[in-house]
Amino acid sequence: MSVLRKDFLWGGATAANQFEGAWDVDGKGPSVPDMCTNGSHTEPKWVTRTIHPDRLYPSHEAIDFYHHYEEDIALFAEMGFKCFRLSINWTRIYPTGMETEPNEKGLEFYDKVFDCCLKHNIQPLVTISHYELPYALVEKYNGWESREVIDCFMRYCKTIFERYKDKVKLWLTFNEINSGTMPFGALLETGTIRGFEGPTNELPDKKQERYQALHHQFVASAMAVKYAHENYPQFKLGNMICFITSYPSTCDPDDILANQQAMNMTNWFCSDIQVRGEYPHYAKRFFEENGVEVKMEPGDEEILKEGTVDFYTFSYYMSNCITTHADAMQSEGNIVAGFKNPYLKSSDWGWQIDPKGLRYSLNEIYARYRIPMMVVENGLGAYDVKGHDGMVHDGYRIDYLRQHIEQMIEAVKDGVDLMGYTPWGCIDLVSASTGEMAKRYGFIYVNKFDDGKGDLSRERKESFFWYKKVIESNGDEL
Ligand code: BGP
């Protein structure tokens, strides 16, 4: 008998910029990812201030969900999805972020997508901002560093809330908002990259700008939540954290403290504000020691208190170790690197695979906040090769997902309140960190390659049939 809720939200997750393509179609403006070239595990992608005709920008076509949405959603329905996490691309609705009237063509596209989901009994879970800041706001305001962007964001939120109020009930404000605490987050999350052109591993670490930008995002998130609660009581709004559990490498008390500090500023800082409604005690000292001064306006503290989220969501791919010992081996990671854990194996991209860390994280998060949770990203980015029969036999992906679902179920047995699970990149799409197609996560293979070629046809992988059974049995058959 399944221990998961009867209405458990099984599904998959995507982001507009990583799979829609049609980057300049029907009035859409460029967002930050549209200015990013492709890269690889070893070659960093570039962000450019104008489009260079001799370079490849993978978001421009991506997997062209824009013209394949009916076929793709039908495939999700075939797997039995109850929920589909996707983002609205801000620049389809407001091409520069600064218009006063929305772009009707952009709105119509999401009408069609949501209608198609609902026709298949799939509930959309919408990320309002998934690394998709209008690029015009970067050049004009240095992204979220400027308070002006809050108004642009609220105009966008009000438009989409009203337009889709009968189609969408579940919303997330900012994807992986805590990536803004890390240097790479200047590109993805805060957009504090005005004037920068170059490889993304050379982004300068400007903490002051990022934390000020984050403050504006916290205020914007809280304003959106408050506005939705007041006007659309049927909505539920969540936050979204890139949760990278870390462990102290040794029992040296210095390692324990270093890990506690890393956990605080990497994983807890943003959600403490979004769930509890105020800056946590430990932030003050961190700001002092790092020369950060966050400028707040009168009324900000009240807004943060009034706009706390209804549920907590997070991505979970890996864990890390933290140590003060100089001889430790460095590891790789999605947006933050740490140290190697000798008990864990890594993916082809060096991310340390740790299913039990998911059980641990779910318990830690629930103990802290006591609100419903959802795992809205998880999965294995891998090189897929077709077998003799033409199918991708991705047993490695099935193993990864199975082990994580098992631990999720253990956590539910431990007593946590879990609403659902939407593994990342349910259909192959462009990687966020490296801009590759070769790093695949999907249950559905897409014939699209790193050189930009491929006929975009879709094929079911072995994991497609496996996941269908998992959903059918509500997690009993793994
Ligand atoms: C998360 C992002 C996603 C996604 C995923 C996998 O950080 O929210 O957008 O892409 O990680 O990362 P990558 O694509 O770099 O493998």
Side-chain angles (χ1 to χ4, degrees):
M1 255 302 276
S2 175
V3 298
L4 301 174
R5 308 167 167 206
K6 270 210 205 68
D7 59 353
F8 193 77
L9 293 172
W10 292 101
T14 56
N17 75 87
Q18 292 171 254
F19 87 142
E20 281 180 359
W23 76 292
D24 61 352
V25 170
D26 290 336
K28 183 182 166 300
S31 58
V32 173
D34 296 323
M35 311 307 286
C36 292
T37 70
N38 60 343
S40 70
H41 187 193
T42 46
E43 274 295 305
K45 60 183 194 179
W46 277 54
V47 54
T48 63
R49 297 182 68 191
T50 53
I51 299 298
H52 298 199
D54 54 327
R55 305 198 69 152
L56 198 68
Y57 294 81
S59 73
H60 291 193
E61 185 186 53
I63 61 154
D64 198 27
F65 174 78
Y66 198 75
H67 298 106
H68 289 74
Y69 70 90
E70 284 179 292
E71 177 188 353
D72 293 344
I73 294 169
L75 284 165
F76 300 154
E78 193 181 320
M79 278 186 276
F81 278 24
K82 315 276 183 243
C83 174
F84 175 38
R85 175 174 176 234
L86 71 169
S87 67
I88 293 180
N89 212 329
W90 186 343
T91 56
R92 278 198 200 289
I93 315 300
Y94 288 99
T96 66
M98 292 174 273
E99 292 79 2
T100 47
E101 290 303 317
N103 172 31
E104 179 58 27
K105 283 255 178 249
L107 289 167
E108 279 168 17
F109 170 65
Y110 295 104
D111 270 326
K112 289 187 283 184
V113 169
F114 298 144
D115 286 342
C116 186
C117 288
L118 297 172
K119 183 179 93 189
H120 287 290
N121 293 319
I122 296 175
Q123 146 141 240
L125 163 61
V126 171
T127 317
I128 300 171
S129 181
H130 191 131
Y131 297 159
E132 280 140 1
L133 186 69
Y135 187 70
L137 296 177
V138 169
E139 287 292 343
K140 172 123 175 136
Y141 292 124
N142 196 28
W144 282 95
E145 192 194 3
S146 164
R147 226 183 143 89
E148 307 283 333
V149 178
I150 299 177
D151 289 343
C152 303
F153 179 79
M154 279 311 291
R155 197 170 332 121
Y156 163 55
C157 285
K158 286 179 184 175
T159 303
I160 58 176
F161 287 165
E162 182 55 23
R163 178 77 168 216
Y164 306 123
K165 62 175 187 282
D166 299 322
K167 303 180 185 188
V168 179
K169 305 274 180 289
L170 297 174
W171 302 86
L172 307 178
T173 53
F174 291 97
N175 180 64
E176 294 189 336
I177 191 166
N178 57 321
S179 61
T181 65
M182 308 154 200
F184 201 59
L187 172 78
L188 296 177
E189 188 63 36
T190 56
T192 44
I193 53 163
R194 179 164 49 193
F196 180 82
E197 170 151 327
T200 50
N201 62 344
E202 287 177 16
L203 284 163
D205 182 8
K206 296 184 181 169
K207 287 198 183 61
Q208 171 61 35
E209 288 183 6
R210 290 205 314 279
Y211 281 97
Q212 186 61 53
L214 271 177
H215 177 68
H216 295 143
Q217 291 188 295
F218 296 141
V219 171
S221 174
M223 281 171 78
V225 171
K226 181 171 187 274
Y227 180 83
H229 283 162
E230 284 166 3
N231 293 280
Y232 307 99
Q234 73 274 26
F235 287 5
K236 293 267 181 261
L237 290 98
N239 66 335
M240 198 307 198
I241 299 290
C242 176
F243 204 88
I244 304 177
T245 281
S246 59
Y247 309 120
S249 291
T250 72
C251 48
D252 176 346
D254 280 337
D255 279 8
I256 307 290
L257 275 171
N259 184 55
Q260 185 176 55
Q261 284 162 7
M263 283 294 289
N264 280 346
M265 287 315 291
T266 305
N267 293 309
W268 299 124
F269 169 66
C270 296
S271 51
D272 278 355
I273 297 169
Q274 292 184 298
V275 180
R276 292 172 162 168
E278 61 187 14
Y279 274 69
H281 69 278
Y282 51 80
K284 193 164 175 275
R285 179 164 182 184
F286 174 86
F287 287 159
E288 276 165 14
E289 291 180 354
N290 286 277
V292 172
E293 254 179 76
V294 175
K295 186 167 176 298
M296 296 199 197
E297 298 267 306
D300 283 2
E301 283 179 340
E302 288 72 25
I303 286 285
L304 296 182
K305 270 258 171 287
E306 291 163 359
T308 56
V309 292
D310 304 308
F311 63 109
Y312 175 105
T313 81
F314 65 112
S315 62
Y316 180 86
Y317 293 92
M318 51 171 286
S319 68
N320 257 331
C321 286
I322 300 290
T323 183
T324 54
H325 297 209
D327 55 348
M329 286 267 289
Q330 198 90 33
S331 74
E332 295 175 89
N334 29 355
I335 43 181
V336 65
F339 292 93
K340 279 212 191 305
N341 184 331
Y343 301 97
L344 301 179
K345 296 208 172 73
S346 297
S347 78
D348 290 339
W349 275 261
W351 299 14
Q352 303 190 102
I353 301 171
D354 182 13
K356 288 185 179 153
L358 176 56
R359 174 180 177 184
Y360 172 76
S361 304
L362 281 162
N363 273 285
E364 288 289 297
I365 298 163
Y366 193 59
R368 196 167 181 114
Y369 301 131
R370 309 285 298 178
I371 57 175
M373 294 183 292
M374 184 158 168
V375 180
V376 295
E377 282 185 35
N378 171 237
L380 180 70
Y383 294 108
D384 284 342
V385 180
K386 289 187 195 169
H388 294 304
D389 57 355
M391 189 193 256
V392 172
H393 295 283
D394 50 348
Y396 38 89
R397 180 167 295 111
I398 295 174
D399 286 345
Y400 177 102
L401 294 168
R402 177 192 294 120
Q403 288 166 17
H404 283 79
I405 296 172
E406 276 167 2
Q407 293 304 317
M408 210 168 71
I409 291 173
E410 288 302 317
V412 171
K413 288 186 188 158
D414 293 333
V416 310
D417 184 359
L418 189 64
M419 298 161 60
Y421 178 65
T422 53
W424 175 251
C426 45
I427 180 163
D428 290 347
L429 38 63
V430 177
S431 145
S433 53
T434 57
E436 289 167 282
M437 270 310 301
K439 189 179 191 188
R440 295 175 184 271
Y441 285 87
F443 302 112
I444 301 164
Y445 187 86
V446 181
N447 283 287
K448 174 77 195 273
F449 309 99
D450 281 337
D451 57 4
K453 299 206 175 101
D455 66 8
L456 297 170
S457 57
R458 281 51 174 158
E459 292 164 29
R460 298 164 184 81
K461 301 183 195 175
E462 192 178 325
S463 56
F464 180 101
F465 301 98
W466 171 80
Y467 193 45
K468 185 174 186 311
K469 276 205 301 193
V470 173
I471 299 179
E472 248 164 35
S473 64
N474 204 23
D476 277 351
E477 259 185 71
L478 291 171

